[in-house]
Amino acid sequence: MSWLFGYSRPPQTPTDLPPPPGENAAEPPPNLTKAEKKAMEAYRFDSSALERAAQAARELERSKHSKEALELSKLQESTRQQEQLAKIKEYEAAIEQSKVEQKRIDHEERRKTLQEETKQHQVRAQYQDQLSKKRYEEQLAQQQRSQEEILRKQEESVAKQEALRRATIEHEMELREKNKLKAIEAEARARAKADRENRDITLEQIKLKAAENRTTILESIKTAGSVIGTGVNALITDWDKTLAAAGGLSLLALGVYTARGATSVTARFIESRIGKPTLVNETSRFSVLEAVKHPILTVSRAVSHFRNPSDALAGVVLAPNLEKRLRDIAIATKNTRLNGGFYRNLLMYGPPGTGKTLFSKKLAKHSGMEYAIMTGGDVAPMGKDAVASIHKVFDWANTSRKGVLLFIDEADAFLRKRSSEHISEDLRAALNAFLYRTSDQSSRIMLVLASNTPQQFDSAINDRLDKMIEFGLPGVEERERLIRLYFDKFVLKPASEGKRRLNVDQFDYGALCTELAKRTAGMSGRALSKLGVAWQAAAYASDDGRLTEQMCIEICDDAVNDHRQKMEWLSAEEKSRSMMPYLLDLPPLDNEAAVRKVKETKVKKTPTVGTKQTEVDK
């Protein structure tokens, strides 16, 4: 069968080969194009292949293996058909896969398209929203501009009306003024005309009055001369009348001088017994004039006089060491009065507002003495009268049977050094008078001086002082006691009484007072008392009359800032000479930290106003 497929057969020369060129075949025309030549070649038919196929078919029919060859060819053909079917299936599967992939791609494209459309819709919606907002804002701006224009026109109209009204009033006033001037001018003309017409009559009246006055004066001179001449003649001729006249004039002069001296003595007695000297600003001593001026205050002092003497340190918050020294002084002063001994003169120095005046009053009341308060600044304006006023003060104090505690606040105003300070002659004389009256120890007068600058005192004044006590600024514990005291006095008691428009919010008062004591470093007792008054005023100023914890902290921070500003305002001399030992570094303000720290200190049960007041009293 190999011959059937064309291998192992000797090659045969084809019988029907195309004739060589130039023999029987007709050559194509030379003027044809390449495409036309190719088309002509396609229509030519080669019959040699068909002849070979026919010859092979005849040989196959004659061969004994023709049937096997036919079967083999059928099998090969079926195999090729199966392969072709498999390729067709694969191709169909590939087509289906491509369709699925195309659907997926279409779906993905559709999804992206939808997303893009959604984004476009959102952008379009946002743009429309922005446009609507912009239109609304433009409408509002337009309305505002129109309203402003209307207001401007109204203001211009009002201004024009006001200008017209003012012009009308000015015109009316000008017309009134012109009418008044015309009336005055007409009246003056009428008066001048009447004076011109009555000139002769007026001159005649003046002449008659002058003649009458001259006649009266001449007659009076003649009468006085005759009377004086008669009296002088009688005195010269009669010596008894002369002696009587001289004696009468002598008695009259003696009566005048006697009345003047008696009046002076009586005035001094009344001033020392009934009234009070000019330099004394405040005193607990009874006087008739003060009782007439202030009857209620006099009665209250008289009632308190019959009570038992109170503690000298009641209501005074000081350091423990200072309280011990002052208590010893109070006990010694009381025993000195009871035993009729000599009092010791004291000097209290320190920054202002630390309790010097308050303790002096308490000391006088505790020892059963009377107190008198004067200020050194009142001495200098008196000038030459300062010496007499100082003597009057000591004379008035010596008339007391109980003894007088003479407290001189700001004593360095007139007790300055005579060697280094430039003081006037009047102040020098007042200082000498004061030194004269305090040269010896007294059993009637206890001298207490108070000053913020004790280094300015004269050396002679320092020699008169027996005890010097420094009143420093309160520490943390003292400040906490003072804050509790003033919080109870100005906030809790009025709130518990219910007589005023004052309520207190529920919070831990003890923790608040402790925190505020730490924040108010460097503040005096007077400054802390003003803090209590500020809390009360803040509650009164609120809408519901309620004082909250935050309000207390904010008011405290404001007070600390004010205190720091006051310390910065001190001059270099004040800082170096007087206040440097008492200037403290204030802690930084931290409102949020303070509020958080106070709120963290919570109790299990929030106390009411009454219970917290009891805790503060304790």
Side-chain angles (χ1 to χ4, degrees), residues 413-432:
F414 77 104
L415 301 179
R416 294 176 175 270
K417 295 178 180 179
R418 290 170 290 182
S419 59
S420 60
E421 298 287 342
H422 298 284
I423 61 176
S424 62
E425 292 298 327
D426 297 333
L427 277 181
R428 188 181 295 273
L431 174 59
N432 292 331

Side-chain angles (χ1 to χ4, degrees), residues 327-342:
R327 195 175 299 279
D328 294 339
I329 291 173
I331 295 172
T333 304
K334 182 177 181 181
N335 293 330
T336 299
R337 176 187 169 274
L338 294 176
N339 297 323
F342 293 100

Side-chain angles (χ1 to χ4, degrees), residues 36 86 99 124 149 239 249 353 386 470 488 494 515 567 592:
E36 292 176 349
K99 289 181 180 180
R124 191 180 299 107
E149 184 68 21
W239 288 99
L249 292 174
E470 180 182 8
D488 178 67
E515 177 62 26
M567 293 297 104
E592 297 180 357

Side-chain angles (χ1 to χ4, degrees), residues 425-445:
E425 292 298 327
D426 297 333
L427 277 181
R428 188 181 295 273
L431 174 59
N432 292 331
F434 185 84
L435 292 175
Y436 171 74
R437 298 307 297 260
T438 57
S439 58
D440 297 328
Q441 297 292 123
S442 175
S443 59
R444 291 182 177 271
I445 301 175

Side-chain angles (χ1 to χ4, degrees), residues 298-541:
T298 305
V299 172
S300 63
R301 288 178 179 175
V303 172
S304 63
H305 173 71
F306 292 101
R307 297 176 182 175
N308 294 328
S310 61
D311 187 6
L313 297 176
V316 182
V317 178
L318 300 170
N321 295 332
L322 183 58
E323 286 185 359
K324 184 177 181 301
R325 293 183 62 190
L326 295 179
R327 195 175 299 279
D328 294 339
I329 291 173
I331 295 172
T333 304
K334 182 177 181 181
N335 293 330
T336 299
R337 176 187 169 274
L338 294 176
N339 297 323
F342 293 100
Y343 293 107
R344 304 178 70 191
N345 299 328
L346 303 179
L347 169 63
M348 301 179 182
Y349 65 96
T354 51
K356 297 184 288 294
T357 306
L358 180 60
F359 172 72
S360 299
K361 293 181 180 180
K362 297 282 185 180
L363 176 62
K365 188 175 181 181
H366 172 75
S367 359
M369 301 172 63
E370 296 173 341
Y371 67 86
I373 300 176
M374 60 175 287
T375 306
D378 295 337
V379 178
M382 287 187 170
K384 296 180 179 180
D385 297 332
V387 175
S389 299
I390 290 174
H391 286 299
K392 287 180 182 180
V393 170
F394 282 94
D395 292 338
W396 171 78
N398 282 322
T399 58
S400 176
R401 291 179 294 179
K402 298 180 181 179
V404 175
L405 188 146
L406 182 59
F407 180 78
I408 304 178
D409 197 9
E410 304 297 337
D412 55 281
F414 77 104
L415 301 179
R416 294 176 175 270
K417 295 178 180 179
R418 290 170 290 182
S419 59
S420 60
E421 298 287 342
H422 298 284
I423 61 176
S424 62
E425 292 298 327
D426 297 333
L427 277 181
R428 188 181 295 273
L431 174 59
N432 292 331
F434 185 84
L435 292 175
Y436 171 74
R437 298 307 297 260
T438 57
S439 58
D440 297 328
Q441 297 292 123
S442 175
S443 59
R444 291 182 177 271
I445 301 175
M446 180 179 179
L447 185 64
V448 179
L449 305 181
S451 174
N452 300 330
T453 56
Q455 63 271 14
Q456 296 182 0
F457 281 123
D458 190 80
S459 58
I461 297 295
N462 294 330
D463 187 62
R464 263 76 172 168
L465 300 174
D466 300 312
K467 194 74 174 176
M468 294 186 295
I469 306 169
E470 180 182 8
F471 281 72
L473 293 172
V476 179
E477 297 180 357
E478 289 76 25
R479 290 198 302 272
E480 183 175 355
R481 290 167 57 192
L482 286 170
I483 290 174
R484 289 177 181 270
L485 175 66
Y486 294 129
F487 193 85
D488 178 67
K489 178 179 179 181
F490 295 105
V491 178
L492 293 181
K493 283 186 178 179
S496 61
E497 291 173 359
K499 297 180 181 179
R500 303 172 184 174
R501 184 178 174 269
L502 179 61
N503 297 318
V504 185
D505 203 0
Q506 299 292 336
F507 55 87
D508 192 353
Y509 310 127
L512 177 63
C513 293
T514 303
E515 177 62 26
L516 296 182
K518 297 177 182 178
R519 300 173 68 84
T520 54
M523 297 180 66
S524 63
R526 183 183 293 124
L528 295 177
S529 67
K530 293 179 181 179
L531 192 61
V533 176
W535 288 335
Q536 189 182 81
Y540 290 155

Side-chain angles (χ1 to χ4, degrees), residues 113-400:
T113 304
L114 291 176
Q115 289 181 353
E116 189 65 25
E117 290 177 354
T118 304
K119 288 182 181 180
Q120 293 295 330
H121 286 305
Q122 291 178 354
V123 172
R124 191 180 299 107
Q126 291 178 358
Y127 181 69
Q128 291 178 356
D129 189 17
Q130 291 178 358
L131 289 178
S132 61
K133 287 182 179 179
K134 189 174 180 180
R135 286 195 298 270
Y136 182 69
E137 290 177 357
E138 290 178 354
Q139 291 177 0
L140 291 179
Q142 183 66 25
Q143 291 178 0
Q144 186 175 1
R145 285 194 295 270
S146 62
Q147 290 178 358
E148 291 178 354
E149 184 68 21
I150 293 172
L151 289 176
R152 187 180 61 79
K153 290 181 180 180
Q154 291 178 354
E155 290 177 355
E156 290 179 355
S157 176
V158 172
K160 290 180 180 179
Q161 293 177 1
E162 185 67 20
L164 291 174
R165 187 179 66 82
R166 191 180 297 109
T168 304
I169 293 173
E170 291 177 354
H171 183 65
E172 290 178 355
M173 292 177 65
E174 186 177 358
L175 291 178
R176 289 197 192 100
E177 191 69 21
K178 288 182 179 179
N179 294 331
K180 189 183 294 184
L181 291 175
K182 289 181 179 179
I184 293 172
E185 185 178 0
E187 186 178 355
R189 289 178 180 176
R191 191 181 297 110
K193 184 178 180 181
D195 290 341
R196 284 195 300 270
E197 292 175 354
N198 299 328
R199 181 178 180 182
D200 298 335
I201 299 173
T202 305
L203 291 175
E204 190 66 26
Q205 290 178 355
I206 291 172
K207 289 179 180 179
L208 291 175
K209 288 182 181 180
E212 289 179 0
N213 290 334
R214 184 170 59 253
T215 303
T216 303
I217 291 171
L218 291 175
E219 291 294 332
S220 300
I221 291 172
K222 290 179 181 179
T223 303
S226 63
V227 171
I228 293 172
T230 304
V232 171
N233 189 16
L235 288 175
I236 293 173
T237 56
D238 191 355
W239 288 99
D240 293 335
K241 292 182 179 179
T242 303
L243 294 174
L249 292 174
S250 300
L251 290 175
L252 180 61
L254 179 63
V256 170
Y257 286 114
T258 304
R260 182 181 296 177
T263 303
S264 177
V265 172
T266 304
R268 290 179 183 176
F269 177 79
I270 292 174
E271 186 177 8
S272 62
R273 298 288 180 177
I274 299 177
K276 71 174 183 178
T278 308
L279 283 176
V280 176
N281 298 324
E282 182 183 352
T283 180
S284 62
R285 189 174 178 181
F286 176 78
S287 63
V288 178
L289 296 179
E290 289 296 323
V292 173
K293 292 180 181 179
H294 309 286
I296 299 176
L297 181 61
T298 305
V299 172
S300 63
R301 288 178 179 175
V303 172
S304 63
H305 173 71
F306 292 101
R307 297 176 182 175
N308 294 328
S310 61
D311 187 6
L313 297 176
V316 182
V317 178
L318 300 170
N321 295 332
L322 183 58
E323 286 185 359
K324 184 177 181 301
R325 293 183 62 190
L326 295 179
R327 195 175 299 279
D328 294 339
I329 291 173
I331 295 172
T333 304
K334 182 177 181 181
N335 293 330
T336 299
R337 176 187 169 274
L338 294 176
N339 297 323
F342 293 100
Y343 293 107
R344 304 178 70 191
N345 299 328
L346 303 179
L347 169 63
M348 301 179 182
Y349 65 96
T354 51
K356 297 184 288 294
T357 306
L358 180 60
F359 172 72
S360 299
K361 293 181 180 180
K362 297 282 185 180
L363 176 62
K365 188 175 181 181
H366 172 75
S367 359
M369 301 172 63
E370 296 173 341
Y371 67 86
I373 300 176
M374 60 175 287
T375 306
D378 295 337
V379 178
M382 287 187 170
K384 296 180 179 180
D385 297 332
V387 175
S389 299
I390 290 174
H391 286 299
K392 287 180 182 180
V393 170
F394 282 94
D395 292 338
W396 171 78
N398 282 322
T399 58
S400 176

